[in-house]
Each structure stands twice: as structure tokens, then as C-alpha cells.
Amino acid sequence: MVSATDISGSVAKQLADVERANAEAVRAAADLVLGVIRADALVYTAGAGHSLAAVAETFYRAGGLACVYPLYHPELLPLHGAVHSTRTERRSGLAAEVLAERAPGPEDVLVVFSTSGSNPYPVELCIEARKRGAAVIAVTSRACVAAAPKRSSSTLVEQGTVVLDSLVVPGDASYPPDSPRTAPLSTVVNAFLWDLVLAQVYDRGTAEGLDVPLWRSSNVEGGDEANAALLEKYGPLVPQLR
């Protein structure tokens, strides 16, 4: 019978391996985000299916960046139709629809979360963003991309200016170790990778005198007041903040 110690040890090892394997890539991703802050531009974030959990983690979140524009379409969320959400991310052309309202430009950065990194929606987002001159941070699993059916002309790994590798095995499950069927790790690892980037952005940004725009919790004293200026600044640029 598995114990909590077994699972926690497995997750801890995964996160340690991920941090070690992505040291240079995390620094490069932080460079791109710092460039956004210096230019007073935006970080666009996107995903589909359960990768939308990572998008939620980047947006309007205590301790998170305020200069984030989440890209979203309701048909991509499993809660609005599970099987339909899978079909939707495999539909070519949706990325162009989502970017029609606002798309990243040369001073912006697009962050795309997709463990398989092979479906049309995430890949076409990257292609469209790069056409507009934006850099792309791809948060994916190289192993999963290599194993996934090729449903697009390219992959997230090929399109990423910087690739953050979650090291998740094909299928995402992690337990039991010899034949994984449950305990998926991608959501945990995606959040961890983004936190590694945020920590570097904060340390390096404040060291050079940048005002890193970070949300405060609205459930601590002074949180609402601290966030008011950020809402005033980014509300007109990010409709989801209104």
C-alpha cells in the first residue's frame, strides 16, 4: 500500500530534477519577462484542457505578476464540456480567433502551457505570436511531445524561444512508478516552473531598481489598497481584470 511519504518523496524528486534540468532555461525565461516589465508591455499566457490550471495560476493571483493577459476560450475548459474541450484544442484556426481581440507584439511575451505540445491550438498560438515578433516561452514536456501523435505542422518545442521542460513522462501519470496510471504531475510542475521564473524576475528586477508589478492578496490588511493602482493601470489593457 502506498504511503503519503512515497508520494511526497516522488514529487519532491521530480521538482528537484526539474529545477536542475531547467536552470539555464528558467534564467532565459526570466530575461524575457524582465524585458516585458522594462518595456511596460504584457505577458500573455495560454493553455487548453488541464493546462488552463497553469494559466489561472499566472493571472490575478496573490504574489503573481499584474502585467498578465490570459488567453482563453470557454470551449477549451473541460468544465464546459470535457470531450468537447479535447476536440476544441485539436481544431485548427481557433488560435487566430482567440488572438483576434488582442495579440502579443514585439515587446510582449507569450507563455504557452501544454504537456503534449502537439495539438493545433497551442502550436498555432506560438506560430501566430512569432509572426508578430513576440518571444515564446513554451512550458511542456519534451518526452511527451516526442511521444504524442503529430496533429500540427510543428510542436511547442520547435516553436519555443525558450523551452521549460516539466520532465513529465508520456501519459502524465506518475504512480505506480513501474506502470504509471494515476497521480498526474503536470499541474504541480507547471506551477513550480512558473514560480521559479517569478522568483528570478523579482530578485533580479528589484536588484536593478525595477518596480516589479505584483498582486497582493485581497485577504490581507492593505491588499485592496495595494492592488488599486495595478487595476487602474492594467484594467484598460486586460479586459478580464474588469
Side-chain angles (χ1 to χ4, degrees):
M1 182 70 69
V2 65
S3 71
T5 302
D6 293 333
I7 291 292
S8 63
S10 174
V11 173
K13 181 182 184 305
Q14 178 83 10
L15 297 183
D17 290 346
V18 164
E19 183 172 13
R20 183 166 51 253
N22 287 279
E24 292 184 13
V26 166
R27 183 170 184 82
D31 284 341
L32 293 176
V33 175
L34 285 166
V36 168
I37 296 170
R38 295 186 194 103
D40 206 13
L42 293 172
V43 175
Y44 290 72
T45 61
H50 285 91
S51 291
L52 282 167
V55 177
E57 187 70 12
T58 68
F59 178 66
Y60 192 56
R61 199 235 188 279
L65 280 177
C67 53
V68 168
Y69 189 114
L71 296 171
Y72 175 69
H73 191 287
E75 293 182 39
L76 292 166
L77 182 64
L79 293 175
H80 293 164
V83 175
H84 184 68
S85 71
T86 298
R87 295 194 187 109
T88 300
E89 66 178 306
R90 294 179 181 178
R91 190 175 85 217
S92 183
L94 181 60
E97 293 178 31
V98 170
L99 293 174
E101 182 176 343
R102 187 182 180 106
E107 294 183 323
D108 302 311
V109 167
L110 172 65
V111 182
V112 178
F113 298 90
S114 174
T115 299
S116 66
S118 63
N119 286 320
Y121 175 67
V123 172
E124 290 176 10
L125 280 176
C126 297
I127 292 171
E128 291 298 319
R130 293 185 63 173
K131 284 180 181 176
R132 292 168 168 82
V136 173
I137 298 173
V139 187
T140 187
S141 161
R142 291 181 185 273
C144 289
V145 171
K150 301 300 182 283
R151 298 189 175 96
S152 304
S153 61
S154 185
T155 68
L156 212 59
V157 169
E158 292 168 343
Q159 292 300 321
T161 310
V162 174
V163 177
L164 298 178
D165 189 350
S166 67
L167 304 182
V168 167
V169 300
D172 201 352
S174 67
Y175 185 85
D178 56 344
S179 182
R181 292 296 304 279
T182 189
L185 289 178
S186 61
T187 300
V188 174
V189 178
N190 286 345
F192 177 66
L193 280 166
W194 185 240
D195 279 351
L196 290 176
V197 173
L198 290 181
Q200 282 214 19
V201 167
Y202 178 79
D203 283 347
R204 293 165 54 194
T206 53
E208 68 176 73
L210 279 179
D211 182 13
V212 180
L214 296 170
W215 297 111
R216 294 275 304 279
S217 171
S218 58
N219 297 307
V220 299
E221 193 69 31
D224 288 341
E225 293 78 6
N227 291 336
L230 295 174
L231 288 168
E232 182 178 359
K233 178 176 182 177
Y234 293 108
L237 301 175
V238 182
Q240 297 88 337
L241 287 173
R242 299 171 195 162

